[in-house]
Structures are given as structure tokens and as C-alpha cells.
Amino acid sequence: MQQKNVEELYEWIDEAATTIEYQENATYLEAVADAMDILFHRTPFEDMSDLLKQQLEKHLKEVSIEKYEKEEIRKATQLAILKGMKGATQQQHLITPDSVAMFMGYLTQRLFPGNEALALFDPACGTANLLTAVMNQLDREVKSYGSDVDETLMKLALANANLQKNEIEFFHQDSLRPFLMEPVDFILSDLPVGYYPDDIQAERFTLKAEEGHSYSHHLFIEQGLNYVKDGGFLMFIVPNFLFESDQSSQLNTYLREKAHIFGMLQLPESFFKEEKHGKSILILQKKGKQTNAPKEALLAKLPSFKNHHAMADIIGQIDQWFTKNHPS
Ligand code: SAM
């Protein structure tokens, strides 16, 4: 992976998006999705003005996507998306940070140490940054599914996957509604946190609130368990307070019945503006006939990812934990 290539491709996307943004009166983020789609299909959209078509055709002559590796494409895309999200006010427009996505890729490799083909599903895939970062680290056949309710993010995710040549089947829907899908080996997701407004849909879930709105992050965990195979794994980014909220005893009882808690790793505080917004990586295994709970759960507070010394140390401890509790 070459940083120079990441920057070069980012600049191409940024220039195309800026041109589209001004001429089409779109938001920068929507324009990034269009620029990526145009780059993939190598032609401007039919309904664009002649002037814009000409500008984009000229710009297309300056780029050859074949030259770039998957990770260079993912990182260039991520830079453009981050620029677009800076100005956006919507709270849900949050991309999973690169270093966290890479770390989750490492954990995924430890959870699935063999080379068998895997089916993955991210039910809150957003831009597919997390999903494709993990896919790119798995050196084997991978089939993925992604779902998100946000239209712009879905467009970005689709173009992102196409450009990286990653096979992902997308569902643009509320992920707390049913899916027509076979259970997968692995569910991974950076979960939306907060209340789920649709009380009628929530009724289908064991983890619905006894009173008022349910927590969407609780319902997503249950939904994940509905779509993973017995013995399959789930990895979620969740709030640190997951097991300390007013509805957590319900969650505890439910998880004890359905899953083994493999671990909970608290992300570095430096990622979050306020302590109350801190998050952790929760790892679960869905119970199956052949599964056993690990002797001890993997619990740790992660150091700053920039502190290479401390990171190497914690990775050593995590590796040891896996050797003892989940040998390959
Ligand atoms: N991992 C993503 C990425 O790398 O871009 C970011 C995920 S973001 C933290 C959470 C996502 O949940 C947002 O993209 C939001 O649109 C989505 N979301 C929130 N409620 C949803 C629902 N009911 N169904 C589907 N997606 C939902």
C-alpha cells in the first residue's frame, strides 16, 4: 500500500466531487458517491449537463483505477467521505475510524484462524468502510452482506465495494426488519446507539423495552443473533455502558441464554470527545451444540493506538488469550 497512491486517488475523487457539488447543487457527500460511481462505470450520468459531462470525461482520462490496490481505494474513499461528513450535521453520519476497523480485522483473523470460506454481514454498514477493511484482511473466499437505512451512505458503500472489487450484497432497509437471507458465519457492526423509534417493529424482539422506546443497539444485537449460524461469531462496537444501563438486566439474561461472551475490549479514550460516548468492542459466540464458553472472557482497556509499545504488549496478551481459549 502506497500513501502516494492514496493521496493521488483522493485528489481525483475530491476534484470530481467538488465539480459535481457546484454544478448539481448537491451536498459534497452525495457528490463523492456520484464521483465514485462515475469512476467505476467510466462515464458521467446521462442526465448531467453537457458542460459537466465534458469536464468529467476529461477528468476520467487522468485516472486508471486498475492501478490501485483495494486498500488504497478504501483509504482514498475514506478521506473523501470524512471530508464530506465534517460539514454534515446528521449524527448518524459516522464512519468507523480506520485504526478501529484494522484492529477488528486482526480480531476477525483470530476468531477464524483457518482458511475456510466465510459469509459476513454488517447490518449497519454505513459507507462499508469497516466491512471492506475487514474483508481486505481476510485472505480467503469471502461473501458479504451489508445493510443500512441511509440512502447516501448506501450509495457510497456500493461504489466503494465496486471500486475495490469486493463482493457485497446490499440491502437498503431498516435492519431491524426481517431479511431474506441464510444465516452467516460472522456478524460485525459499529452499532447505532440510542432509541429505536418504531415500537411496532420492536414488538418482535425479546429485548424490546418493557415501557417506552427500545434501545436500537440492544435490538441490533438480537437481530445479529437471529442471522448468524449456531457457533458463529458476532463483533460489535457498543457503548461502554452497555451492561450498566436501565435495560441491561434484560440484555444480560438474554445473552446468557443465547451466547457466550468472548470478550469486551474498551477502545482508547482519545477516540471520543466525552467519556460518556466511549465505546468498546464486544465479541460474542452464538451458542451451538459443540460450543463452550471460554475459560475466562477477554477483558482489556486498549491503549492509544499511536502508542506502538503498549499496543504490541496488548496484542501479545490477546494472542496468548486466543491460544489458550480459542486455539486454531
Ligand atoms: N461501520 C460504518 C462505516 O464504516 O461507515 C459506520 C456505521 S455508523 C456508526 C451506524 C450506522 O447505522 C449508520 O450508517 C446509520 O445509518 C445506520 N443505522 C441506524 N439505524 C439503522 C436501522 N434501523 N437500520 C439500518 N441502519 C441503521
Side-chain angles (χ1 to χ4, degrees), residues 230-280:
D230 289 351
F233 286 97
L234 308 94
M235 183 154 58
F236 296 116
I237 300 184
V238 294
N240 288 344
F241 57 76
L242 183 72
F243 293 111
E244 286 151 26
S245 78
D246 53 329
Q247 292 178 29
S248 59
S249 74
Q250 223 186 333
L251 177 68
N252 262 313
T253 313
Y254 176 80
L255 286 181
R256 256 202 304 277
E257 190 192 325
K258 304 276 180 196
H260 305 297
I261 297 191
F262 256 55
M264 181 119 163
L265 298 168
Q266 194 177 322
L267 290 166
E269 276 153 19
S270 50
F271 274 124
F272 310 99
K273 282 203 190 93
E274 290 178 67
E275 201 187 326
K276 63 174 190 230
H277 294 138
K279 304 239 175 118
S280 296

Side-chain angles (χ1 to χ4, degrees), residues 78 81 85 91-97 101 122-132 147-151 153-154 157 160 171-177 179 188-193 196-197 216 220 237 279:
Q78 181 188 235
I81 293 171
M85 283 183 178
Q91 244 273 280
Q92 77 267 30
H93 275 175
L94 287 174
I95 187 167
T96 306
D122 182 346
C125 70
T127 63
N129 187 50
L130 171 63
L131 184 56
T132 57
S147 174
D148 204 285
V149 75
D150 185 295
E151 195 180 344
L153 298 185
M154 269 287 89
N160 200 2
F171 301 85
H172 176 204
Q173 67 164 72
D174 174 353
S175 297
L176 296 173
R177 289 173 180 255
F179 289 94
L188 81 160
S189 203
D190 182 354
L191 295 182
V193 177
Y196 178 56
S216 62
F220 265 86
I237 300 184
K279 304 239 175 118

Side-chain angles (χ1 to χ4, degrees), residues 139-300:
D139 194 12
R140 62 179 84 184
E141 195 187 321
V142 181
K143 165 83 189 129
S144 294
Y145 302 88
S147 174
D148 204 285
V149 75
D150 185 295
E151 195 180 344
T152 308
L153 298 185
M154 269 287 89
K155 271 166 95 182
L156 285 163
L158 182 62
N160 200 2
N162 280 341
L163 288 172
Q164 292 180 49
K165 298 200 178 71
N166 275 331
E167 198 190 325
I168 306 179
E169 193 174 315
F170 287 106
F171 301 85
H172 176 204
Q173 67 164 72
D174 174 353
S175 297
L176 296 173
R177 289 173 180 255
F179 289 94
L180 210 65
M181 189 170 102
E182 292 290 314
V184 296
D185 303 289
F186 185 43
I187 303 266
L188 81 160
S189 203
D190 182 354
L191 295 182
V193 177
Y195 288 112
Y196 178 56
D198 190 340
D199 293 336
I200 296 168
Q201 277 303 318
E203 275 300 313
R204 300 189 301 115
F205 291 86
T206 310
L207 291 177
K208 67 172 185 286
E210 273 146 25
E211 254 172 46
H213 289 325
S214 306
Y215 282 137
S216 62
H217 44 293
H218 288 199
L219 303 186
F220 265 86
I221 293 174
E222 179 170 342
Q223 185 75 326
L225 281 156
N226 289 338
Y227 287 96
V228 72
K229 292 175 187 165
D230 289 351
F233 286 97
L234 308 94
M235 183 154 58
F236 296 116
I237 300 184
V238 294
N240 288 344
F241 57 76
L242 183 72
F243 293 111
E244 286 151 26
S245 78
D246 53 329
Q247 292 178 29
S248 59
S249 74
Q250 223 186 333
L251 177 68
N252 262 313
T253 313
Y254 176 80
L255 286 181
R256 256 202 304 277
E257 190 192 325
K258 304 276 180 196
H260 305 297
I261 297 191
F262 256 55
M264 181 119 163
L265 298 168
Q266 194 177 322
L267 290 166
E269 276 153 19
S270 50
F271 274 124
F272 310 99
K273 282 203 190 93
E274 290 178 67
E275 201 187 326
K276 63 174 190 230
H277 294 138
K279 304 239 175 118
S280 296
I281 298 173
L282 173 70
I283 308 171
L284 304 170
Q285 182 180 36
K286 182 171 176 175
K287 283 188 181 172
K289 287 198 184 81
Q290 316 274 350
T291 62
N292 290 307
K295 289 182 203 86
E296 45 172 349
L298 172 63
L299 301 175

Side-chain angles (χ1 to χ4, degrees), residues 9-19 28 32 35 59 80 83:
L9 183 58
Y10 161 70
E11 275 159 25
W12 189 93
I13 298 172
D14 182 49
E15 196 181 321
T18 309
T19 312
Y28 178 83
V32 168
H59 198 43
K83 178 175 170 186

